[in-house]
Amino acid sequence: MNIKNQDFLNMQKDMEKEIDFFLENFSDSPEKLSGWGHDYFCHIDGGALIFDYEKPHEHVCSVCGKIYTGIKYDQCWTYTYRYNVMYSLTKAAYLFKETKNKKFFNYIISILNFYSDNYKNFKVQAKGKIVDNLTIDVGGASKIMPQGLNEAIMLIRITNALSLIKSELNPEWIDKINENLFQPAINLLNPQRVRIHNIALWIGTAIASVALLTEDNEKVNEVYLGEFGIKNQIDNGFTDDGFWYEGSIHYNYFALEGVVNFLLFAELYNYNIEDRVKDKVLDILKAPYEYAFDNLILPNPNDGWPNLGLKTYSFIYYIAYKIYGDRILDLIATIEKNEDPRTDVALSKPYYYKNYIPLERLLFAKDLNLSNKGLSPGKSKKFNNSSYVILKNNKVNIFAKSGHQTKSHAHPDKMNIEVSINGKFLTRDLSNPGYGSTICNEWNRESLSHNTVILNGKSHEMIEPGEIKNFTQNSFSIKSNSIYLNTLSQFERNIILNDNGFTDEFRVNTDDNKTKDWIFHIESEVLLKDISAKFSNDNIIFDKNGYQHLKEINKFEPKDSIIFNWDFYGNNLKNILDTSNKEVYIAKSYDNPANKFRTTIIVRSNKNQEIFKNIWIMEE
């Protein structure tokens, strides 16, 4: 990615166009409630609905084109509208500093005057419903936004903007905004800091940003040093591996964004943060490179968004540059020089011009010189405290998950693996669409959508850490004895890399003859002409927990082994399956979004003790 000065100029024009639009068309009312962003998704394929400023009552799926109407979707539209308005304040602040044009300054004042003057008239709500309990939901209560989390993000967007132009602001006006908007919002949010959690972390950062702006160091100390303060969130929320305890790539970065914003405000207002804490956050910032695939795409266990990469979150690293300077440059250079397209997140989107230059690049690193910078390729590594492990050689990368640290945002996917070969994915974790989407809960959050073993057609039930054993640079063993309630079930998966593929052996022990389904989802197409077995339609027995969504199910005739030949990006990828005394099915299953499909292999056994073994060989 080669960024030129003209790109920044074009970016400024794009932001000015947005501010001009709001100057001409801004309209809001305390009578409107904000809806939960996770409801703004298609129930058919999980595609995000298209936000259109001109169509507040018509919401079109970005994948299939289905039109959704109704108050729930209108409220989601209101949330997105308000989010965009709040984000535009930082853009306006930058444009004012850069051009000295008062229209940008006046825009900020007018927007904040409206919300300040009317905050008392907004109703206390949670996800589009009026409530009287501030902690009725994990997301908490709010007024302008759909939940406490989003209200906190709103405050940070506002204080980001005001910090850029604070020297130009009338102190009496700041006092007014503080009295009518900030403090009532803090009174709503502060009681919601009741656990180690990404939401409590964001709320703490929001309160600290206001306190630093208004020179209230006592309040900063409270939300930084308290029981559920930012310091304890950093120390207890991130494992020693530098991974957020909820076990999700997206929530790792989401929590990290809250942390880095706090450090940014501390830097801007000279609030002292211990070197130990700052050093730990720097290690957390660097950790994703170690568990990323060589193509800089990230593994995707648990809740999140599909196809995330380091470039998805580059904006966080540009904020970090303001704090750490040259200590983060090699990683920034590695990310910025990657030529692959950037994948966006679906909610709380950061602003990227043309989807490749973030606002934070303009704010904090416009003149950054990245020549002769970059990191060497990563190596195999285990993350014991996070139940993850990754193997890497020059061709094959394999990421595996042995267990969980918490129920929060967990998927029932113990022993799942993701595999890339020559920078292309053989199989990946789909993560999920918005939580309000039907397909999210009926497919993405079921064990069947992952590469693991399922007993009696039921998704995994227990949320416990697993074990990583016998780790070398080319092999590992992961184990778990806690998969189903009231059931003896011992799972062990052994992976060995070699120069042109890998061997995968999955051992399962149970207390009786339970039906065991070994599942593997593949991104490419099988070469059917090379399969000697005949196909016939067959009922796969189970019809829920995701099985109801399988398509084109076919069953193989019994054989001791089956050799699949896959068309893997123009190369032949041979897959040798040990199928003696087992049933073998092949089907189509949902990708993400669900208008696309993957090929799914199911190998079934009813023995108490079973070994599912397969070998992958790349023929070039």
Side-chain angles (χ1 to χ4, degrees), residues 111-127:
I111 293 295
L112 292 182
N113 279 343
F114 171 81
Y115 287 108
S116 173
D117 293 344
N118 287 282
Y119 194 76
K120 61 182 179 294
N121 300 320
F122 283 84
K123 301 174 180 65
V124 178
Q125 62 130 64
K127 298 179 181 177

Side-chain angles (χ1 to χ4, degrees), residues 399-501:
F399 176 87
K401 172 182 177 179
S402 63
H404 305 79
Q405 308 302 312
T406 177
K407 186 177 181 179
S408 178
H409 290 296
H411 283 196
D413 59 350
K414 287 187 179 184
M415 320 303 265
N416 185 50
I417 65 171
E418 300 179 57
V419 182
S420 74
I421 302 175
N422 293 334
K424 304 291 186 181
F425 279 102
L426 170 67
T427 185
R428 76 197 203 287
D429 195 310
L430 301 180
S431 193
N432 47 263
Y435 308 150
S437 171
T438 302
I439 202 68
C440 171
N441 297 297
E442 290 187 359
W443 179 249
N444 299 79
R445 285 175 164 173
E446 297 284 2
S447 296
L448 185 62
S449 71
H450 303 86
N451 300 318
T452 186
V453 169
I454 300 169
L455 301 186
N456 287 348
K458 294 174 61 179
S459 285
H460 301 174
E461 297 170 331
M462 297 182 69
I463 307 297
E464 305 291 341
E467 295 181 274
I468 302 168
K469 300 285 191 179
N470 306 319
F471 171 81
T472 73
Q473 284 297 299
N474 292 305
S475 65
F476 64 74
S477 173
I478 53 176
K479 298 182 179 181
S480 179
N481 296 330
S482 302
I483 301 98
Y484 290 92
L485 296 169
N486 304 316
T487 299
L488 172 64
S489 51
Q490 299 172 329
F491 284 13
E492 177 181 336
R493 192 166 202 161
N494 302 293
I495 302 286
I496 301 174
L497 289 191
N498 54 54
D499 291 340
N500 62 349

